[in-house]
Amino acid sequence: EVQLQASGGGLVQAGGSLRLSCSVSGFTLEDDSIGWFRQAPGKEREGVSCISSGDDSTYYADSVKGRFTSSSDNAKNMVYLQMNSLKPEDTAVYYCAVGPCVRPWYWGQGTLVTVSS
């Protein structure tokens, strides 16, 4: 059974940092792409980052490039999103997902990140 669970969200002041984690089971991370997405109130869901299995590269949205870093530990079936220099605009529910970067097949429950000004 495929299971994904994101954790690590919380309240942080602007300029601060958070590290999100996603545990994955029922999947081999080496064989598929995994990404982070977020959705803020009243906005469309957007991609944040994706570790692509196709070209073995990590992609980031322009809005987070240079501030966020996505990584994985395949032995532990864990994926991480290190978020630095957080801005109020980063406030959203963050989700990890497995599958094609553009259209993942499996989604975990989100974790809420709130950045205060």
Side-chain angles (χ1 to χ4, degrees), residues 37-48 87-95 111-115:
F37 298 79
R38 67 185 183 185
Q39 187 166 24
K43 296 184 178 181
E44 292 288 308
R45 184 180 62 201
E46 63 175 340
V48 175
K87 305 174 181 179
E89 305 94 276
D90 295 318
T91 296
V93 177
Y94 285 72
Y95 303 87
T111 184
L112 177 63
V113 173
T114 303
V115 184

Short mmCIF file of all heavy atoms in Angstrom, two decimals, residues 37-48 87-95 111-115:
data_model
loop_
_atom_site.label_atom_id
_atom_site.label_comp_id
_atom_site.label_asym_id
_atom_site.label_seq_id
_atom_site.Cartn_x
_atom_site.Cartn_y
_atom_site.Cartn_z
N PHE A 37 4.52 20.25 -3.33
CA PHE A 37 3.55 21.19 -3.84
C PHE A 37 2.97 21.98 -2.68
O PHE A 37 3.07 21.55 -1.52
CB PHE A 37 2.44 20.46 -4.59
CG PHE A 37 2.91 19.70 -5.80
CD1 PHE A 37 3.52 18.46 -5.66
CD2 PHE A 37 2.74 20.21 -7.07
CE1 PHE A 37 3.97 17.75 -6.77
CE2 PHE A 37 3.18 19.52 -8.19
CZ PHE A 37 3.80 18.29 -8.03
N ARG A 38 2.37 23.09 -3.00
CA ARG A 38 1.74 23.88 -1.94
C ARG A 38 0.49 24.56 -2.48
O ARG A 38 0.36 24.81 -3.67
CB ARG A 38 2.71 24.93 -1.37
CG ARG A 38 3.09 26.03 -2.34
CD ARG A 38 4.14 26.94 -1.71
NE ARG A 38 4.50 28.06 -2.58
CZ ARG A 38 5.45 28.94 -2.30
NH1 ARG A 38 6.16 28.84 -1.17
NH2 ARG A 38 5.70 29.94 -3.15
N GLN A 39 -0.41 24.85 -1.57
CA GLN A 39 -1.62 25.55 -1.93
C GLN A 39 -1.96 26.55 -0.83
O GLN A 39 -2.15 26.18 0.33
CB GLN A 39 -2.79 24.60 -2.14
CG GLN A 39 -4.04 25.28 -2.68
CD GLN A 39 -5.06 24.30 -3.20
OE1 GLN A 39 -5.09 23.13 -2.80
NE2 GLN A 39 -5.90 24.76 -4.11
N ALA A 40 -2.01 27.81 -1.21
CA ALA A 40 -2.39 28.88 -0.31
C ALA A 40 -3.87 29.17 -0.48
O ALA A 40 -4.45 28.89 -1.53
CB ALA A 40 -1.56 30.13 -0.60
N PRO A 41 -4.50 29.73 0.54
CA PRO A 41 -5.93 30.04 0.44
C PRO A 41 -6.24 30.92 -0.77
O PRO A 41 -5.58 31.93 -1.00
CB PRO A 41 -6.22 30.79 1.75
CG PRO A 41 -5.20 30.27 2.70
CD PRO A 41 -3.96 30.07 1.86
N GLY A 42 -7.23 30.51 -1.55
CA GLY A 42 -7.65 31.28 -2.71
C GLY A 42 -6.74 31.17 -3.91
O GLY A 42 -6.97 31.87 -4.91
N LYS A 43 -5.74 30.32 -3.85
CA LYS A 43 -4.81 30.18 -4.96
C LYS A 43 -4.78 28.76 -5.49
O LYS A 43 -5.18 27.82 -4.80
CB LYS A 43 -3.40 30.59 -4.54
CG LYS A 43 -3.26 32.06 -4.15
CD LYS A 43 -1.81 32.39 -3.84
CE LYS A 43 -1.65 33.85 -3.50
NZ LYS A 43 -0.22 34.19 -3.20
N GLU A 44 -4.31 28.62 -6.71
CA GLU A 44 -4.14 27.31 -7.31
C GLU A 44 -2.96 26.59 -6.67
O GLU A 44 -2.00 27.21 -6.21
CB GLU A 44 -3.91 27.43 -8.81
CG GLU A 44 -5.11 27.92 -9.60
CD GLU A 44 -6.20 26.88 -9.70
OE1 GLU A 44 -5.89 25.73 -10.10
OE2 GLU A 44 -7.35 27.19 -9.35
N ARG A 45 -3.05 25.27 -6.66
CA ARG A 45 -1.93 24.48 -6.19
C ARG A 45 -0.76 24.68 -7.14
O ARG A 45 -0.93 24.72 -8.37
CB ARG A 45 -2.32 23.00 -6.14
CG ARG A 45 -1.24 22.09 -5.59
CD ARG A 45 -1.73 20.65 -5.59
NE ARG A 45 -2.01 20.18 -6.93
CZ ARG A 45 -2.81 19.15 -7.21
NH1 ARG A 45 -3.43 18.51 -6.23
NH2 ARG A 45 -2.99 18.78 -8.46
N GLU A 46 0.42 24.83 -6.59
CA GLU A 46 1.60 25.04 -7.41
C GLU A 46 2.73 24.11 -7.01
O GLU A 46 2.86 23.72 -5.85
CB GLU A 46 2.07 26.50 -7.32
CG GLU A 46 2.52 26.91 -5.93
CD GLU A 46 3.10 28.31 -5.89
OE1 GLU A 46 3.50 28.82 -6.96
OE2 GLU A 46 3.15 28.90 -4.79
N GLY A 47 3.53 23.78 -7.98
CA GLY A 47 4.70 22.97 -7.72
C GLY A 47 5.78 23.79 -7.05
O GLY A 47 6.01 24.95 -7.42
N VAL A 48 6.43 23.21 -6.08
CA VAL A 48 7.52 23.86 -5.36
C VAL A 48 8.86 23.30 -5.81
O VAL A 48 9.78 24.04 -6.15
CB VAL A 48 7.36 23.70 -3.84
CG1 VAL A 48 8.56 24.27 -3.10
CG2 VAL A 48 6.07 24.36 -3.37
N LYS A 87 9.17 33.69 3.65
CA LYS A 87 8.41 34.91 3.46
C LYS A 87 6.94 34.64 3.76
O LYS A 87 6.49 33.51 3.66
CB LYS A 87 8.54 35.40 2.01
CG LYS A 87 9.95 35.60 1.53
CD LYS A 87 9.97 35.95 0.04
CE LYS A 87 11.37 36.15 -0.47
NZ LYS A 87 11.38 36.47 -1.93
N PRO A 88 6.17 35.68 4.12
CA PRO A 88 4.74 35.47 4.32
C PRO A 88 4.05 34.83 3.12
O PRO A 88 3.09 34.08 3.30
CB PRO A 88 4.22 36.89 4.58
CG PRO A 88 5.38 37.60 5.19
CD PRO A 88 6.59 37.05 4.47
N GLU A 89 4.54 35.10 1.93
CA GLU A 89 3.97 34.52 0.72
C GLU A 89 4.15 33.01 0.64
O GLU A 89 3.50 32.35 -0.17
CB GLU A 89 4.59 35.16 -0.54
CG GLU A 89 4.49 36.67 -0.58
CD GLU A 89 5.73 37.33 -0.02
OE1 GLU A 89 5.80 37.49 1.23
OE2 GLU A 89 6.63 37.70 -0.81
N ASP A 90 5.02 32.46 1.47
CA ASP A 90 5.23 31.02 1.50
C ASP A 90 4.17 30.30 2.33
O ASP A 90 4.15 29.07 2.36
CB ASP A 90 6.61 30.69 2.07
CG ASP A 90 7.74 31.19 1.18
OD1 ASP A 90 7.64 31.06 -0.05
OD2 ASP A 90 8.73 31.70 1.74
N THR A 91 3.32 31.04 3.01
CA THR A 91 2.27 30.44 3.82
C THR A 91 1.35 29.59 2.94
O THR A 91 0.77 30.09 1.98
CB THR A 91 1.46 31.51 4.54
OG1 THR A 91 2.31 32.20 5.46
CG2 THR A 91 0.30 30.89 5.30
N ALA A 92 1.23 28.33 3.28
CA ALA A 92 0.43 27.40 2.49
C ALA A 92 0.44 26.04 3.16
O ALA A 92 1.19 25.79 4.09
CB ALA A 92 0.99 27.28 1.07
N VAL A 93 -0.43 25.17 2.66
CA VAL A 93 -0.36 23.77 3.01
C VAL A 93 0.58 23.11 2.02
O VAL A 93 0.40 23.23 0.81
CB VAL A 93 -1.74 23.10 2.97
CG1 VAL A 93 -1.62 21.60 3.26
CG2 VAL A 93 -2.68 23.75 3.97
N TYR A 94 1.57 22.41 2.53
CA TYR A 94 2.57 21.77 1.69
C TYR A 94 2.32 20.27 1.62
O TYR A 94 2.05 19.63 2.63
CB TYR A 94 3.98 22.03 2.24
CG TYR A 94 4.47 23.43 1.98
CD1 TYR A 94 3.93 24.51 2.66
CD2 TYR A 94 5.46 23.67 1.03
CE1 TYR A 94 4.36 25.81 2.41
CE2 TYR A 94 5.91 24.95 0.78
CZ TYR A 94 5.35 26.02 1.47
OH TYR A 94 5.80 27.30 1.21
N TYR A 95 2.42 19.74 0.41
CA TYR A 95 2.17 18.33 0.16
C TYR A 95 3.37 17.68 -0.52
O TYR A 95 4.02 18.30 -1.36
CB TYR A 95 0.97 18.14 -0.78
CG TYR A 95 -0.32 18.76 -0.33
CD1 TYR A 95 -0.62 20.08 -0.62
CD2 TYR A 95 -1.26 18.01 0.38
CE1 TYR A 95 -1.81 20.66 -0.22
CE2 TYR A 95 -2.45 18.57 0.78
CZ TYR A 95 -2.72 19.89 0.48
OH TYR A 95 -3.91 20.45 0.87
N THR A 111 0.95 19.44 5.29
CA THR A 111 1.36 20.02 6.55
C THR A 111 1.37 21.54 6.38
O THR A 111 1.84 22.06 5.38
CB THR A 111 2.74 19.49 6.98
OG1 THR A 111 3.07 20.01 8.27
CG2 THR A 111 3.83 19.86 5.98
N LEU A 112 0.80 22.23 7.34
CA LEU A 112 0.60 23.67 7.23
C LEU A 112 1.83 24.44 7.66
O LEU A 112 2.37 24.23 8.75
CB LEU A 112 -0.60 24.10 8.07
CG LEU A 112 -0.90 25.60 8.11
CD1 LEU A 112 -1.26 26.13 6.72
CD2 LEU A 112 -2.03 25.88 9.09
N VAL A 113 2.25 25.35 6.80
CA VAL A 113 3.35 26.27 7.09
C VAL A 113 2.77 27.67 7.13
O VAL A 113 2.16 28.12 6.17
CB VAL A 113 4.46 26.19 6.04
CG1 VAL A 113 5.51 27.28 6.27
CG2 VAL A 113 5.12 24.82 6.06
N THR A 114 2.95 28.35 8.25
CA THR A 114 2.47 29.71 8.39
C THR A 114 3.66 30.61 8.71
O THR A 114 4.37 30.39 9.69
CB THR A 114 1.43 29.82 9.51
OG1 THR A 114 0.34 28.93 9.25
CG2 THR A 114 0.90 31.24 9.61
N VAL A 115 3.85 31.62 7.87
CA VAL A 115 4.96 32.55 8.04
C VAL A 115 4.39 33.90 8.41
O VAL A 115 3.63 34.50 7.64
CB VAL A 115 5.81 32.66 6.76
CG1 VAL A 115 7.00 33.57 7.01
CG2 VAL A 115 6.27 31.28 6.31
#
